[in-house]
Amino acid sequence: MLQTILTYIILALSIAYALYSIYKAIQSAKNPCYGCEGCPLKEAKKRQKAPCPKKK
């Protein structure tokens, strides 16, 4: 009985993790800089998205 419950819990957690990983992969597929650390293109995109200062 306890083994069956633990098996179902482990199975549910592994399915949830797989779905989460698939979701992250789909969301990052649109981003060409996903997983890239410190490349010039990523830095340029960050600066471009920075909010402009308000004019007085």
Side-chain angles (χ1 to χ4, degrees), residues 17-30 34:
Y17 179 74
L19 291 174
Y20 175 72
S21 296
I22 291 170
Y23 173 76
K24 279 185 62 175
I26 291 171
Q27 291 297 318
S28 65
K30 298 175 187 174
Y34 178 72

Side-chain angles (χ1 to χ4, degrees), residues 28-50:
S28 65
K30 298 175 187 174
N31 184 359
C33 291
Y34 178 72
C36 182
E37 290 293 329
C39 70
L41 178 62
K42 188 173 183 177
E43 296 300 321
K45 278 186 84 173
K46 278 185 183 178
R47 283 188 297 239
Q48 197 174 35
K49 287 185 178 180

